[in-house]
Amino acid sequence: MGIPQSDRAGIWTERLKQCHQRVGESRGLVVEGKITRMIGLTLEAVGCRAAIGGQCDVISSTGERIESEVVGFAGESLYLMPTGDIRGLEQDARVVPTGRVCEAIVGDHLLGRVLDGAGRPLDGKGRLHAIERRPLTGKVFNPLTRTPIRKPLDVGVRAINALLTVGRGQRLGLFAGSGVGKSVLLGMMTRYTDADITVVGLIGERGREVKEFVENSLGEEGMARAVVVAVPADNTPLRRMHGAMLATSIAEHFRDQGKHVLLLMDSLTRFAQAQREIALAINEPPATKGYPPSVFAKLPQLVERAGNGDKGGGSITAFYTVLAEGDDQNDPIADAARAILDGHIVLSRRLAESGHYPAIDIEASISRAMNDITSKEHQESARAFKQLYSLYRQNQDLINVGAYEPGNDERIDAAIQAIPELERFLRQDMNTPVSQEESLAELDELFL
């Protein structure tokens, strides 16, 4: 028996639909190129065309596809930067433009997960199912549509709550050299900050710190409402940059849902160094202490994506760690970061070596949004604290060697009498949170 006429019509209709779908998905003719030169991690290809930021697959002799991104061009040559391992790559390897750009997988299913710079899971908890994607580069805000910073954010650290009050949507730099308690302070803010979601970007740091941060700083309870993007120092510079942008894209997604997000980026310096490696590899001339101009253009493009949104009531409060090389606060990246951030918290090696934790240098730190989100009484108390503390520090050497005689200056006498309580106020155990209300109450008690 033959197939009924009605069934044959249905089969042909289905086949036509499939053909139409395949034609719609077709990208047309793809012109392949080949690798002509490799210097360091930079691949030079000829024979094909692709836009800046576009992805290409480089086919090795074993047939393995190596993902790469277009980072520049000159004449007929494209400059590619691989995102993974390039061992086994040979001269004249095929280059196939894919027509894609790097995107971030976002969604609530990311909560509790640890990802690499490409958005792949590192925690062994199974695959991620893409529900929504958004570009890694984010979107540009009209500055007039942003919601102003109007509400304080409780970070659980007494010195910051009282003297360097942080607002929802503020972006601050955490300036520190090595070994002065930067990671400990980040961990405290991660556990104690009053935020709906925490997004952590561990960019270019030591690989062992990832597991320590997840287990010790976040813990099981903190990890339940957190997303961690970990791109250690042994990753390619392009992957490190993608990691910072991925963490920011994930934070943007939750902000657009109306949630208050805490974004911790450790570190902004490693992000800048990754861009420097890429820029120098494609022969961009260095300008400031070995940093090409593109580095100082990329920093505000990343930082400006944080902050309050223009709709939905969500916010991204961001802390970016900045590594002061040799404790030099005039390092080009540190200097550029101070200019584009809404304040900075400086950690002092002198305080850390004396056992003072957190080692926050109150004199060198500032929150530019504090006057907009605190009461006049709070501001006066904080100003009085800083004046007494600074006055003692300015005369500390004279006091220690006995060159100052009590009674010569009433202000210095008051500072000497108050300094034990001021230093006690600035110290805090890492396992003991202090709320905003408790911080202000203790500050007021100092001047009763």
Side-chain angles (χ1 to χ4, degrees):
M1 292 179 61
I3 300 175
Q5 186 71 24
S6 59
D7 292 346
R8 280 186 292 188
I11 292 173
W12 278 107
T13 301
E14 182 62 30
R15 288 179 179 176
L16 284 173
K17 287 182 180 179
Q18 293 176 359
C19 291
H20 184 270
Q21 183 178 1
R22 290 173 183 174
V23 169
E25 294 175 350
S26 175
R27 294 191 292 111
L29 181 65
V30 177
V31 179
E32 298 183 2
K34 65 177 182 179
I35 297 295
T36 58
R37 188 170 64 159
M38 182 181 76
I39 300 178
L41 290 177
T42 306
L43 308 177
E44 186 175 334
V46 297
C48 59
R49 299 174 66 89
I52 294 292
Q55 288 184 303
C56 296
D57 286 339
V58 182
I59 314 300
S60 69
S61 58
T62 60
E64 183 180 357
R65 290 180 175 265
I66 301 171
E67 292 183 358
S68 60
E69 183 176 309
V70 180
V71 294
F73 56 82
E76 299 297 322
S77 299
L78 284 180
Y79 295 130
L80 309 175
M81 186 69 66
T83 58
D85 190 8
I86 58 173
R87 283 179 293 184
L89 195 62
E90 296 179 349
Q91 191 174 10
D92 294 333
R94 293 165 52 207
V95 178
V96 183
T98 65
R100 301 190 303 269
V101 295
C102 290
E103 294 180 316
I105 298 175
V106 295
D108 292 347
H109 63 291
L110 296 180
L111 293 175
R113 303 301 300 268
V114 182
L115 315 176
D116 66 6
R120 296 186 294 254
L122 291 173
D123 49 17
K125 295 182 179 179
R127 293 181 56 192
L128 295 173
H129 300 285
I131 299 176
E132 183 181 344
R133 294 177 179 268
R134 61 189 305 152
L136 280 181
T137 53
K139 64 177 181 179
V140 179
F141 273 110
N142 180 339
L144 295 179
T145 63
R146 276 189 184 269
T147 304
I149 300 172
R150 289 291 181 262
K151 295 182 179 180
L153 179 72
D154 187 353
V155 298
V157 180
R158 181 169 48 232
I160 298 177
N161 280 340
L163 306 174
L164 303 167
T165 309
V166 179
R168 288 194 184 276
Q170 191 171 353
R171 300 158 302 190
L172 287 99
L174 187 59
F175 291 70
S178 57
V180 296
K182 166 175 59 68
S183 298
V184 173
L185 183 57
L186 280 180
M188 291 175 67
M189 290 190 290
T190 302
R191 293 193 300 273
Y192 306 142
T193 296
D194 181 20
D196 301 322
I197 304 291
T198 301
V199 180
V200 182
L202 302 176
I203 311 300
E205 299 298 322
R206 293 180 291 272
R208 70 169 180 81
E209 293 182 339
V210 177
K211 189 176 180 65
E212 292 177 359
F213 192 91
V214 170
E215 294 183 352
N216 301 335
S217 297
L218 281 172
E220 186 175 348
E221 182 179 351
M223 196 63 203
R225 60 184 181 93
V227 183
V228 177
V229 179
V231 193
D234 58 349
N235 282 255
T236 64
L238 189 62
R239 186 70 85 200
R240 278 176 265 150
M241 290 191 64
H242 283 180
M245 293 188 287
L246 174 61
T248 307
S249 294
I250 293 171
E252 287 175 324
H253 166 75
F254 289 113
R255 176 184 62 190
D256 291 346
Q257 292 183 337
K259 296 179 180 178
H260 299 296
V261 183
L262 175 67
L263 173 63
L264 303 177
M265 188 75 70
D266 186 16
S267 70
L268 192 64
T269 303
R270 302 302 187 207
F271 172 82
Q273 290 174 346
Q275 173 60 24
R276 178 175 64 176
E277 292 177 40
I278 294 173
L280 294 177
I282 59 176
N283 299 321
E284 183 181 349
T288 307
K289 293 188 178 180
Y291 286 94
S294 62
V295 173
F296 302 100
K298 290 286 186 181
L299 286 175
Q301 289 176 7
L302 180 71
V303 170
E304 283 294 324
R305 294 170 60 183
N308 288 330
D310 57 356
K311 59 182 180 179
S315 66
I316 300 176
T317 306
F319 286 87
Y320 299 93
T321 64
V322 181
L323 304 178
E325 301 292 344
D327 296 328
D328 179 14
Q329 299 298 327
N330 294 317
D331 175 80
I333 300 304
D335 199 40
R338 272 194 298 268
I340 60 177
L341 293 170
D342 303 322
H344 49 272
I345 298 172
V346 179
L347 299 187
S348 166
R349 186 173 300 278
R350 173 182 58 83
L351 292 175
E353 290 174 347
S354 66
H356 182 120
Y357 288 103
I360 298 174
D361 187 343
I362 292 299
E363 295 177 278
S365 305
I366 188 172
S367 170
R368 293 177 179 169
M370 182 172 176
N371 289 341
D372 296 327
I373 58 177
T374 55
S375 65
K376 185 177 180 180
E377 293 76 15
H378 181 182
Q379 295 169 28
E380 290 176 350
S381 296
R383 191 179 302 114
F385 184 104
K386 291 181 180 180
Q387 288 173 347
L388 274 178
Y389 187 82
S390 181
L391 186 61
Y392 178 84
R393 290 299 178 197
Q394 291 169 6
N395 296 276
Q396 186 173 9
D397 291 340
L398 293 176
I399 297 169
N400 289 341
V401 300
Y404 173 77
E405 295 184 5
N408 287 345
D409 191 318
E410 293 181 358
R411 297 180 306 156
I412 297 178
D413 292 341
I416 294 173
Q417 185 176 1
I419 194 64
E421 285 300 309
L422 299 184
E423 290 185 337
R424 180 202 61 77
F425 182 87
L426 294 175
R427 290 189 178 99
Q428 182 176 336
D429 183 81
M430 63 176 292
N431 296 313
T432 306
V434 181
S435 69
Q436 184 89 26
E437 292 75 15
E438 292 172 334
S439 301
L440 297 183
E442 292 184 38
L443 179 63
D444 291 338
E445 288 177 5
L446 293 175
F447 299 99
L448 290 178

